[in-house]
Amino acid sequence: MEPMERLGVGIGWRPEIADAIGDPAALPGLDWVEVVAENIHPDRLPEALLRLRERGTTVVPHGVALGLGGAERPDPARLRALAERAEALDAPLVSEHIAFVRAGGPGTGVAGMEAGHLLPVPRTGDALDVLCENVRIAQDALPVPLAVENIAALVNWPDEDMTEGAFLAELVERTGVRLLIDVANLHTNHVNRGEDPATALAELPLEALAYVHVAGGVERDGVWHDSHAHPVTRPVLDVLAELCARTTPPGVLLERDEDFPHPAELAAELDTIRATLRETAHHA
Amino acid sequence: MPDAPHPAEPARIPGAASAPEDPGTPDTAGTPHPAPTPDAPHATDAARERLARAQAGLLAALVAGAPVPAGFDGERLAVQSRALLAKRAGVVAKVAPELPRLLGTARYHEEFLAYATDRPMTAGYRHDALAFAAHVLDHADLSPRVRHALGTWHADRAAPVPPTRWQRLLRSLPPRTVRRIG
């Protein structure tokens, strides 16, 4: 596997915080951004994103609608759209999720439905075979490497054969895909499914790590909601520290999607992430 | 596109041996570079069918009011189901901010819940926003002012794109001519 591109510490680009992201006084030391692929058009990129590109800031398109973990082969039009965005942004890689986002339709006995969100794939041999083939189809259609992300789950599939770490390790071995590890999602699966992040991290092929997501959420009635609308909490930073003790992530990205705080608060969260990286630096 | 032809196995590993007999067993032994699952063009078809039924069963329980599939925790599914509804209401409010503005935020959420529970999204958020507005116009008790404003909003957005010259020409022809052309 080729060495990963070093990305550094970044933040999810959203129109609501575009001004702060474009202002080095507001969010100093920002190395890169990620943009939701479905929210931009390659011919009409937002001015603020173009200015970031002109300054040499790396922009990585992050897809949310492919549904690589779905039963269908990925839609060629969606793959083409993702490839066009990677090219328009001159991105070193693109990322998507290990999830299904739609189901039903011919042969299933129910009409086609969209989830409007990322839903977990059962960790079974069937789902892994399908996911591996879907990932390879996507890799063939994309001009740059693909990284896939572990999602936050509220529901458990019955009769799963594999742990999350083992499932991801097998996926990487069979496809060579890179991993985007969301430490907030590992925390979510700890609270909601009783899966220990340390176990997952120990099983993960960290040499495939492309970058890491960090995000805030909230616990309600014993269930963790990965809201991206709350501050990043200590347990999530602890999972980041645990990961950093095992490897040096090529990139770390803070995600905030709603209830945007004052930029100073985001800057402080980015500083906390940098401090976590420094303090728990992995020494090979 | 379940019947779309599967592209030939990627040529990522030039000169790799042709596929072994058992398409279900990945050949990963000792290769530093990822080995492809030696699948024939449709080796995953059976797995896809089983997965499609399982995922449809779960999603129907989450968004279409179908029964909880065997083995799942019903309470947890209810939490996920409410989370999906809340997110859907939030995104529709973002793509069509006029709707919560016209109805008022509390009323918007109340009506959206009544509309969306058991009614899955099928064609994206913009379509969802239009279908929701139509549902409210048909079922909700609205003041004349809100009804008029919402009706206008819906009519403006539900209108097809402006007719092309060819369509205008067809429309200008006597009905019988149009039928023959069609």
Side-chain angles (χ1 to χ4, degrees):
Chain A
M1 193 174 291
E2 285 172 38
M4 302 295 162
E5 162 120 359
R6 206 199 91 83
L7 295 164
V9 174
I11 192 166
W13 189 91
R14 308 287 182 262
E16 293 91 336
I17 50 172
D19 288 346
I21 290 174
D23 177 5
L27 295 181
L30 212 52
D31 298 313
W32 67 294
V33 301
E34 185 193 72
V35 60
V36 175
E38 286 80 358
N39 291 354
I40 55 164
H41 191 282
D43 299 332
R44 297 187 297 275
L45 293 174
E47 275 298 316
L49 263 190
L50 288 173
R51 280 198 298 276
L52 285 176
R53 283 297 304 128
E54 281 163 19
R55 293 209 312 245
T57 306
T58 299
V59 182
V60 171
H62 182 57
V64 297
L66 259 185
L68 285 171
E72 302 275 310
R73 292 183 175 86
D75 177 3
R78 287 183 196 277
L79 283 173
R80 212 160 34 243
L82 190 53
E84 284 168 5
R85 279 144 188 82
E87 274 160 3
L89 294 164
D90 195 22
L93 79 163
V94 298
S95 54
E96 246 289 352
H97 298 85
I98 301 167
F100 79 100
V101 297
R102 57 188 72 83
T108 61
V110 288
M113 302 160 281
E114 290 180 46
H117 194 63
L118 307 159
L119 293 174
V121 170
R123 295 195 296 253
T124 61
D126 270 355
L128 185 61
D129 287 345
V130 170
L131 174 64
C132 285
E133 190 180 61
N134 288 355
V135 163
R136 284 198 301 271
I137 292 169
Q139 287 170 320
D140 286 345
L142 294 168
V144 290
L146 169 69
V148 289
E149 176 178 359
N150 60 309
I151 67 156
L154 281 172
V155 299
N156 293 316
W157 283 88
D159 308 321
E160 291 192 306
D161 315 326
M162 280 169 263
T163 60
E164 179 151 43
F167 189 81
L168 294 178
E170 180 93 17
L171 170 67
V172 167
E173 192 174 336
R174 282 163 63 172
T175 63
V177 77
R178 295 168 185 207
L179 293 178
L180 158 50
I181 295 300
D182 188 316
V183 290
N185 293 351
L186 290 180
H187 172 67
T188 306
N189 292 353
H190 191 198
V191 178
N192 296 352
R193 318 217 290 190
E195 296 165 359
D196 187 354
T199 310
L201 288 174
E203 289 175 332
L204 283 176
L206 289 174
E207 70 281 1
L209 183 64
Y211 63 98
V212 175
H213 268 174
V214 178
V218 66
E219 191 166 332
R220 271 190 230 115
D221 305 327
V223 175
W224 186 264
H225 293 262
D226 180 49
S227 67
H228 297 196
H230 296 80
V232 176
T233 57
R234 178 42 57 186
V236 170
L237 290 167
D238 288 344
V239 183
L240 175 65
E242 181 122 17
L243 183 148
C244 292
R246 293 170 182 275
T247 190
T248 304
V252 180
L253 187 115
L254 173 66
E255 289 185 292
R256 183 74 180 232
D257 293 340
E258 270 172 84
D259 294 341
F260 294 96
H262 189 275
E265 217 171 292
L266 294 174
E269 289 200 324
L270 289 166
D271 277 343
T272 308
I273 288 170
R274 288 187 193 101
T276 306
L277 289 173
R278 262 195 319 273
E279 287 157 19
T280 52
H282 161 78
H283 301 290
Chain B
M1 21 121 248
D3 298 317
H6 174 50
E9 187 56 24
R12 196 171 291 116
I13 303 179
S18 58
E21 296 302 339
D22 178 8
T25 311
D27 170 22
T28 54
T31 38
H33 200 76
T37 305
D39 39 5
H42 297 288
T44 57
D45 282 0
R48 285 184 189 279
E49 277 171 30
R50 289 188 292 269
L51 186 62
R53 280 195 298 273
Q55 291 182 339
L58 174 57
L59 189 52
L62 290 173
V63 301
V68 172
F72 282 94
D73 175 346
E75 271 179 43
R76 202 44 87 71
L77 257 56
V79 173
Q80 177 72 82
S81 184
R82 283 194 298 274
L84 290 177
L85 263 182
K87 180 172 179 189
R88 184 172 159 194
V91 177
V92 167
K94 260 189 183 171
V95 302
E98 301 85 358
L99 296 175
R101 207 179 301 144
L102 287 172
L103 293 166
T105 308
R107 178 84 191 269
Y108 165 79
H109 282 279
E110 184 189 315
E111 295 290 351
F112 194 88
L113 229 65
Y115 152 79
T117 307
D118 305 351
R119 199 175 271 113
M121 182 163 64
T122 55
Y125 290 105
R126 280 170 214 290
H127 179 270
D128 208 24
L130 277 172
F132 166 62
H135 178 87
V136 170
L137 286 166
D138 282 351
H139 294 91
D141 185 16
L142 303 170
S143 73
R145 186 191 62 80
V146 171
R147 176 168 295 281
H148 176 75
L150 191 62
T152 308
W153 182 89
H154 183 265
D156 284 352
R157 277 151 191 85
V161 288
T164 63
R165 226 156 66 185
W166 171 240
Q167 285 166 328
R168 279 200 300 271
L169 174 69
L170 274 181
R171 277 184 208 167
S172 69
L173 297 172
R176 196 184 273 174
T177 325
V178 175
R179 264 205 305 277
R180 228 179 288 139
I181 291 172

